[in-house]
Structure formats: C-alpha cells, structure tokens
Amino acid sequence: MKSCTPVIGLEIHVELNTKSKMFCQCSADYFGKKPNTNTCPVCLALPGALPVPNRKALEWCIKIGKALNCKINLKTKFDRKHYFYPDLPKGYQISQYDEPVAVKGKLGKFGITRVHMEEDTGKLLHSGDDSLVDFNRSGVPLVEIVTEPDFTNSEEVKEFLQQLHTIIRYLEVSDADMEKGSMRMEPNISLRKFKVQSSKFKDELPNYKVEVKNINSFNFVKRAIEFEIKRQTELLEKSETPTQETRGFDEKTMKTVSQRSKEEAHDYRYFPEPDIPPMVFKQSYIDSIELPELPSAKKERFIKKLELKEADAAILTQDVEIAKFFEEVLAKTNASPQSVANLIVNKKLSTESSPDEFAKLAENMAKPKETDLANLGAAIKSVLSANPEAIINFKAGKETVLMFLVGQVMKEMKGQANASLVKEELLKSLK
Ligand code: ADP
Ligand code: MG
Ligand code: ZN
C-alpha cells in the first residue's frame, strides 16, 4: 500500500470569551465555578424559556470568518441539531446547518469550508457508578471551523492548527486554551488507494472516513493521525475497508479507540430554529467589523520595517501576548528593535518583568558601561605604548595600521569588547 495517500479534514471548536452565554444572560466564564450555579431557565432548557442571540458572539464569529478569508453570508439562520445525550438539556443543540455565518475561506493553501455559530453543551463528570452533570458550560458561545479535506500528512495539520490558534488569540475572541477545553480539535482521516498527483480521481474522496473526537493538544492530533494512517493502511493491505466511525484518542496508549460506528451514526433531524428569526446583515455592518494586524502581517512588518531576524520575528509574533509585550517595550526605549528582541527571546528577565524593566535593561545594554569603558581605555593605553611605530605609521597616513591596533586591543580585552566601539575609542586616542 505504498501508493496510499492520506485524506484529512479538520473540525475545530473554539469557545468565545464573551461576557454572557450565547442565548441567555448567564456568564460565559464558567471555569472553576461551583457546578450548576451558572445557569438559568434558558440554558437549563426549562419549558417556555426563549433564546435571544448574543450580538457580540455573532460579531466575533464574523471576525473569525473574515480572518480566515471567508465569504460572510448576509443572510444566516440558526437550526436545531438533535441528538440525545445527558449533557444536552434541550435534546438538541442550537447550531447552524445550511446557512452558516461564513463559507469558502482559505488559510495558507488549505480550504475553509465553513465557520458557524453554535452553543456548547454541559459537562459530564463520572465518579464510580455515578454520572453527574454540570450545566455551567451549557450555552457558552462556540464557533465551529470546518476545513476541506485538503491535508495529506500530520505535520501540515499540526502547523495549520498552530497557525489557526495564533490567529484566534490575535483576534482576542477566545483564550483558545486547550488545557481548559476552549479549543478542541477533531481530525477526519481516510486513505486514497492511489497517489494523488498521478490520478485523474484527485477530487474523488474515499467512501469512508474516521473521525477522532475532541483532542486537546497539537501533538495528540498529530499522533492520532499517524496512528490512524498506520491502522487504516494495515486494513487496506488485507483488502478490508476501514469502518466509517467515530473514535477517541487515548492519551496513555497514544492509540485511537472505537466509540461509535456508522450503524449508530446520528440522524440529527436538522430543522430551522423556530424561536430565533433568520438574521439579515447589512454589508456596511460586515465591513465595519475590523480585524487587528494578523500574525503573518505583523511578522512581515517586524522583518521589513524593524529589521528583525526572521527567526526572532517568528518567535515574537507566535503569540499575541508576546507580540504586544515586545511592542510595548519598544515604545519605551531608544534601543534597537533587534536588541530588544534578543532580550525577550533569550529571556534575560522573567516574563513577569514589566515592559519598563525590559526597556531599562535594553538601554543599559546598548550603552557601554562605565567600567567597560575604563577597561577599554587601559587596554588601548597598553597596546599603544607597546607599538610606538604603529602610531608613527598611522600618523603618516597608513590607515591599515588601525585594524592591526583594533585586533591587538580586542586580544587584550580577550574578545570582550565591541569592535566598532574599540575602533571609535582608538581613533580618539590617536588624534
Ligand atoms: P459530517 O457530515 O460527517 O460531519 P462533513 O462532510 O461535514 O461530514 O465533513 C466533516 C469533515 O470531514 C470536514 O473537515 C471534511 O473536510 C472531512 N472529510 C470529508 N470527507 C472526508 C474523507 N473522505 N476523508 C477525510 N476527511 C473527510
Ligand atoms: Mg461533523
Ligand atoms: Zn443561562
């Protein structure tokens, strides 16, 4: 099966950090709260309660769509997606089906199918024989991003997800903290039995796919994909078609395990949410939603305008907090951007240090210290007195002598001096 080509598409869920939940006024900040204290009749699905969409959440969903170069639909609506699970109090999730907020985007060379708005579920807690449910998270705004099945290996998936994570954090719509579950990833994997490049069947997808649910680290996504490619290859080699199913990733064994197969696959019975009228946006409203400078543009600017080394620009733009910190320090000092970058990249101070402390340090490092200058002065004096003929030759116009003297002083300083500063000070002494 050397000629197999993996086909991979991704579904990513991002919890928005709006003040309130998606359809009620409960706080969206449920983390660490006493179970079932962050609830109301709407997010508990008590009879008669009516959902009212969160304007900010919709705006932020549009923002994500724009950042992923999507077309924003002017007409969009909510739908009910039915399934039975105890963490879903209504028996359906309010989501979007055929008219999502955003469609047809791109991030790098990978297609974005859609970006839609939905609500998070509650959380199940299992203890011994009991299962408990906490509805604090129920109704928290959730954005789902679906990609085209454009990926062919685990490494490009990981890079894409890291890039997406960085963008979400730049937009400041979510902390996208995977430990807390605010960003969750689901790869769908299948194998084509031929090489893509040489085939006219390029657009034809395998007739099955395996979805690995709810992974919370880039590396686990990578490992899950690699495990699936190996597992499915082995099946195909035995001329078996892998079962279309949903699997989970076991972090202890680094393997995927079957959860439910096609036979039990859900018929979600999608239909338009009757309690929320369809929404129609004006183009002027869509246009008024502005994007911040995105990571790729910021990196370009750091390289072109600030003349940072590419590797440093990459590190400093990888997370919005670091980028902000760097620019804050820069605004407070006259030291060169690269010297400030060096300080931050080499972690010369702890990350808890204030921008002021960094700025001060950057300036002090740019300025030669007085003790350094004194040492340099002494070294120059001793080199000059040991080389009287060099001074005569220099004064006679033989300028190459200067470089010889710089070399001698550097040697005297055991390399612990800045060559251009040595040259400057030597010239002063030779006058
Ligand atoms: P479903 O309705 O089962 O959720 P979708 O068509 O919405 O399926 O696709 C869900 C995800 O699976 C998308 O990211 C898509 O790119 C991906 N996908 C679709 N078909 C395949 C396939 N044959 N192999 C791998 N991924 C696929
Ligand atoms: Mg799906
Ligand atoms: Zn509520």
Side-chain angles (χ1 to χ4, degrees):
M1 282 295 155
K2 288 221 175 55
S3 59
C4 276
T5 306
V7 177
I8 308 161
L10 309 170
E11 292 163 279
I12 302 110
H13 284 97
V14 175
E15 269 178 3
L16 300 183
N17 59 1
T18 46
K19 283 201 189 71
S20 53
K21 290 186 180 180
M22 190 61 219
F23 300 111
C24 61
Q25 289 185 20
C26 295
S27 168
D29 182 13
Y30 64 89
F31 201 77
K33 296 211 171 127
K34 189 164 174 274
N36 297 307
T37 56
N38 190 38
T39 55
C40 75
V42 174
C43 55
L44 286 175
L46 299 189
L50 285 174
V52 178
N54 181 328
R55 175 188 281 269
K56 199 71 184 174
L58 279 160
E59 181 188 316
W60 287 359
C61 184
I62 294 171
K63 215 172 193 175
I64 293 174
K66 281 185 142 188
L68 299 178
N69 307 298
C70 290
K71 171 179 173 278
I72 309 298
N73 283 328
L74 293 181
K75 191 167 168 278
T76 180
K77 70 169 167 58
F78 286 104
D79 299 275
R80 292 185 178 183
K81 177 181 180 179
H82 299 80
Y83 63 96
F84 178 75
Y85 208 60
D87 62 4
L88 191 67
K90 293 192 288 287
Y92 59 86
Q93 177 191 34
I94 305 181
S95 180
Q96 297 197 283
Y97 185 51
D98 53 348
E99 294 183 276
V101 164
V103 293
K104 292 188 180 143
K106 215 152 189 81
L107 177 55
K109 58 178 180 166
F110 305 104
I112 307 291
T113 315
R114 54 190 278 143
V115 175
H116 73 243
M117 191 75 247
E118 56 185 40
E119 56 176 337
D120 214 342
T121 61
K123 257 184 170 169
L124 289 177
L125 303 149
H126 305 281
S127 70
D129 287 343
D130 298 320
S131 285
L132 304 168
V133 60
D134 173 11
F135 288 116
N136 284 351
R137 194 180 69 177
S138 168
V140 167
L142 200 61
V143 166
E144 179 170 346
I145 300 157
V146 182
T147 78
E148 291 292 298
D150 286 348
F151 303 86
T152 56
N153 66 66
S154 61
E155 191 48 47
E156 63 186 16
V157 167
K158 186 178 163 188
E159 276 169 26
F160 173 93
L161 289 170
Q162 281 171 326
Q163 222 180 329
L164 179 65
H165 181 255
T166 301
I167 290 174
I168 301 286
R169 289 187 39 85
Y170 266 61
L171 299 177
E172 304 194 69
V173 297
S174 170
D175 59 15
D177 186 333
M178 287 175 284
E179 302 257 301
K180 293 196 325 202
S182 352
M183 177 164 161
R184 317 192 281 265
M185 302 161 290
E186 293 162 8
N188 294 264
I189 306 122
S190 65
L191 292 180
R192 270 195 183 101
K193 289 188 213 156
F194 43 76
K195 274 229 188 306
V196 184
Q197 294 83 348
S198 58
S199 175
K200 60 178 177 176
F201 303 111
K202 190 173 184 311
D203 294 329
E204 217 167 90
L205 290 171
N207 60 356
Y208 75 95
K209 70 177 158 68
V210 173
E211 177 172 4
V212 188
K213 277 286 187 199
N214 272 336
I215 308 185
N216 65 357
S217 109
F218 300 132
N219 271 325
F220 290 161
V221 173
K222 189 166 182 286
R223 297 292 295 261
I225 291 172
E226 284 158 9
F227 179 82
E228 271 308 303
I229 291 174
K230 188 163 165 282
R231 188 184 69 84
Q232 293 178 24
T233 302
E234 283 166 12
L235 288 170
L236 289 165
E237 275 171 352
K238 290 189 279 185
S239 298
E240 289 174 31
T241 302
T243 317
Q244 165 132 346
E245 62 183 346
T246 299
R247 299 175 73 89
F249 182 69
D250 182 341
E251 300 170 11
K252 289 194 194 77
T253 59
M254 294 281 168
K255 290 176 176 172
T256 67
V257 283
S258 182
Q259 285 182 339
R260 34 174 214 264
S261 63
K262 194 181 181 180
E263 286 73 46
E264 311 161 50
H266 304 279
D267 171 4
Y268 292 122
R269 268 194 318 122
Y270 276 105
F271 65 75
E273 166 60 62
D275 290 338
I276 307 173
M279 290 162 288
V280 181
F281 299 125
K282 285 204 186 90
Q283 186 60 44
S284 58
Y285 167 68
I286 306 293
D287 294 343
S288 74
I289 299 172
E290 286 183 35
L291 294 181
E293 183 181 37
L294 292 176
S296 53
K298 202 184 272 295
K299 185 177 158 201
E300 270 305 292
R301 181 168 63 80
F302 282 5
I303 295 170
K304 295 239 167 80
K305 295 257 164 67
L306 303 182
E307 300 184 326
L308 292 195
K309 290 185 206 141
E310 184 176 354
D312 293 332
I315 294 172
L316 291 173
T317 52
Q318 204 169 49
D319 189 79
V320 68
E321 293 302 324
I322 298 171
K324 268 196 201 165
F325 189 84
F326 170 68
E327 297 200 272
E328 227 173 294
V329 175
L330 214 55
K332 289 175 188 286
T333 171
N334 291 321
S336 75
Q338 184 62 58
S339 66
V340 173
N342 291 344
L343 280 185
I344 295 177
V345 171
N346 299 328
K347 298 194 179 66
K348 287 285 184 201
L349 288 175
S350 95
T351 44
E352 270 104 72
S353 309
S354 70
D356 283 308
E357 289 172 276
F358 264 97
K360 212 180 271 167
L361 182 62
E363 292 208 344
N364 287 340
M365 292 194 50
K367 262 201 300 254
K369 287 202 197 82
E370 277 172 36
T371 52
D372 291 347
L373 275 179
N375 288 342
L376 180 57
I380 288 174
K381 218 174 196 170
S382 106
V383 166
L384 290 183
S385 66
N387 297 285
E389 71 289 3
I391 303 175
I392 296 167
N393 287 341
F394 180 77
K395 293 202 166 150
K398 209 172 160 197
E399 288 186 12
T400 49
V401 168
L402 185 62
M403 285 328 288
F404 163 75
L405 290 171
V406 169
Q408 293 302 303
V409 174
M410 289 297 281
K411 209 157 137 195
E412 185 84 15
M413 298 285 291
K414 298 195 169 61
Q416 298 298 305
N418 177 310
S420 60
L421 182 67
V422 170
K423 195 169 151 190
E424 204 175 292
E425 294 296 310
L426 256 174
L427 279 171
K428 279 188 210 159
S429 307
L430 286 167
K431 264 190 196 143

